[in-house]
């Protein structure tokens, strides 16, 4: 039944589940990030750079940001749907949102690669 | 806001049976139960977190690009006003986090009766406040 609810016929269910799963991913990442920060306590530039050095941490950070992008897209889109009655304006805002999120994602990719 | 009687009420064409009722959209006359408070704060903090993303990315980029720019980022973060802003931002994150966890719990049908929901609303507000307080102590002591 769950599988059926997730098909094209019920796009709202997909959005709902995506919002939950991405929230969960971000919650876990946040806890791990906080723990790492208090264990390592990076006090200077070298320590700060090596905080982001491990490949597993970079991958985790990328996954976090992918989750954040989807989460923010669905979340802010809902806010627009609720508060922007004019359909054209709403679509324009949604498109700006998507462009911004793509730019941020590219930015993060670049930060994590260099 | 008592200007809900249209000045041109004579000219407004009413449908049959429709009364020219005053519309009350004064937000300050609407009671906000604690569940609703947690809910609207979850939305507000979600928007705040989204709006602050470019600033976070900028700070991250500068702090990682060279030792000098790292030092300037640290000194920016250590100025009193910025620390206050950081604290506000941290509260936004903590609230969104705990309220989000509450959402997930209720989605699996945990704590869904009205009394329990009111109770977990308080828990969310208190946890957010405690986390912010702990951070404040860390930042200023
Ligand atoms: C990458 C992040 C950070 C690093 C590497 C770092 C590093 C340091 C270092 C080395 C000190 C000792 C400086 C001194 O003795 O004057 C210090 C002190 C301090 N840090 Fe940070 N810090 C970071 C982030 C933060 C943040 C985000 C805050 C607050 C928002 C903060 C608040 C403070 C405070 C309040 C002190 C004491 C300042 C003082 O005694 O004047 N730090 N930090
Ligand atoms: C830390 C982990 C996070 C968790 C557990 C979480 C959880 C949730 C959940 C469960 C919802 C759905 C609420 C509903 O359906 O009414 C939601 C909505 C939302 N989230 Fe998050 N979230 C997190 C982080 C973030 C971040 C980092 C952002 C900002 C980029 C964000 C922005 C939003 C927005 C804008 C909404 C829509 C609010 C609404 O429609 O009222 N969230 N969050």
């Amino acid at each position: 039944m769950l599988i059926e609810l997730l098909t094209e016929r019920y796009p709202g269910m997909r959005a709902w589940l995506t919002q939950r799963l991405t929230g969960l991913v971000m919650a876990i990442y946040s806890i791990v990030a906080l723990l790492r920060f208090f264990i390592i306590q990076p006090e200077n530039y070298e320590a700060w750079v090596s905080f982001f050095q491990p490949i597993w941490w970079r991958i985790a950070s990328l996954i976090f940001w992918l989750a954040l992008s989807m989460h923010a897209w669905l979340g802010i889109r809902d806010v627009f749907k609720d508060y922007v009655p004019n359909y054209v304006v709403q679509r324009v805002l949604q498109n700006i949102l998507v462009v911004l999120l793509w730019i941020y994602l590219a930015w993060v990719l670049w930060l994590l690669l260099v | 806001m008592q200007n809900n009687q249209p000045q041109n009420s004579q000219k407004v064409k009413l449908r049959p049976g429709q009364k020219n009722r005053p519309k009350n959209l004064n937000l300050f006359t609407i009671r906000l139960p604690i569940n609703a408070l947690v809910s609207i704060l979850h939305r507000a903090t979600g928007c705040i977190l989204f709006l602050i993303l470019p600033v976070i990315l900028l700070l991250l980029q500068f702090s990682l690009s060279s030792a000098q720019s790292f030092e300037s980022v640290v000194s920016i973060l250590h100025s009193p006003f910025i620390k206050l802003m950081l604290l506000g931002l941290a509260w936004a994150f903590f609230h969104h986090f705990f309220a989000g966890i509450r959402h997930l719990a209720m989605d699996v049908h945990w704590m869904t009766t009205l009394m329990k929901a009111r109770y977990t609303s308080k828990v969310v507000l208190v946890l957010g406040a405690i986390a912010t307080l702990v951070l404040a102590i860390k930042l200023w002591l």
Side-chain angles (χ1 to χ4, degrees):
Chain A
M1 192 192 85
L2 184 64
I3 302 297
E4 196 206 322
L5 283 177
L6 295 179
T7 53
E8 300 284 344
R9 281 173 57 211
Y10 307 98
M13 280 307 292
R14 269 200 199 174
W16 179 88
L17 192 66
T18 308
Q19 192 83 350
R20 317 289 126 167
L21 291 181
T22 52
L24 210 57
V25 169
M26 288 190 291
I28 294 169
Y29 177 89
S30 314
I31 293 169
V32 177
L34 220 61
L35 284 180
R36 275 193 89 216
F37 192 81
F38 278 106
I39 292 171
I40 299 177
Q41 304 221 350
E43 301 236 311
N44 53 44
Y45 177 65
E46 281 72 38
W48 184 234
V49 169
S50 59
F51 185 83
F52 282 94
Q53 210 52 252
I55 187 72
W56 70 270
W57 184 247
R58 288 177 188 225
I59 294 173
S61 303
L62 184 60
I63 294 174
F64 165 79
W65 203 272
L66 288 172
L68 186 148
S69 304
M70 287 191 267
H71 188 92
W73 176 56
L74 293 169
I76 302 286
R77 198 190 57 164
D78 278 354
V79 175
F80 287 159
K81 278 184 188 169
D82 283 349
Y83 301 145
V84 184
N86 184 309
Y87 183 69
V88 178
V89 178
Q90 190 187 309
R91 290 312 303 238
V92 170
L93 287 174
Q94 284 185 20
N95 287 334
I96 296 176
L97 174 65
V98 171
V99 171
L100 275 180
L101 287 173
W102 275 113
I103 293 176
Y104 295 160
L105 182 61
W107 193 348
V108 167
L109 262 175
W110 179 70
L111 276 179
L112 289 175
L113 284 178
V114 292
Chain B
M1 286 308 162
Q2 289 304 323
N3 58 341
N4 33 33
Q5 294 287 344
Q7 301 300 304
N8 54 348
S9 52
Q10 250 64 30
K11 280 176 250 157
V12 174
K13 196 112 194 275
L14 297 177
R15 276 184 272 108
Q18 185 187 9
K19 297 205 181 78
N20 192 7
R21 290 201 187 95
K23 290 202 188 94
N24 186 354
L25 285 178
N26 184 352
L27 292 178
F28 294 102
T29 63
I30 298 173
R31 246 187 90 241
L32 200 63
I34 190 161
N35 314 7
L37 179 68
V38 167
S39 178
I40 192 61
L41 286 180
H42 187 239
R43 169 160 280 197
T45 52
C47 293
I48 292 173
L49 290 175
F50 169 71
L51 290 176
I52 206 70
L53 289 180
V55 180
I56 293 174
L57 286 175
L58 266 179
L59 286 177
L60 206 57
Q61 159 152 20
F62 279 123
S63 70
L64 287 171
S65 64
S66 75
Q68 274 132 331
S69 48
F70 175 83
E71 292 304 331
S72 43
V73 167
V74 169
S75 67
I76 289 172
L77 291 183
H78 285 188
S79 65
F81 180 66
I82 300 292
K83 281 204 302 203
L84 218 55
M85 306 258 297
L86 272 177
L87 200 64
L89 196 62
W91 170 79
F93 178 78
F94 291 139
H95 181 83
H96 195 88
F97 179 87
F98 289 122
I101 302 289
R102 174 172 175 269
H103 256 293
L104 296 178
M106 296 181 99
D107 289 336
V108 291
H109 302 287
W110 193 58
M111 291 281 176
T112 42
T113 65
L114 181 57
M115 289 313 288
K116 286 177 180 170
R118 291 176 65 88
Y119 174 71
T120 55
S121 294
K122 283 181 205 151
V123 172
V124 164
L125 289 174
V126 170
L127 284 179
I130 291 177
T132 311
L133 201 68
V134 170
L135 186 70
I137 292 171
K138 276 212 116 23
L139 292 190
W140 271 279
L141 288 188

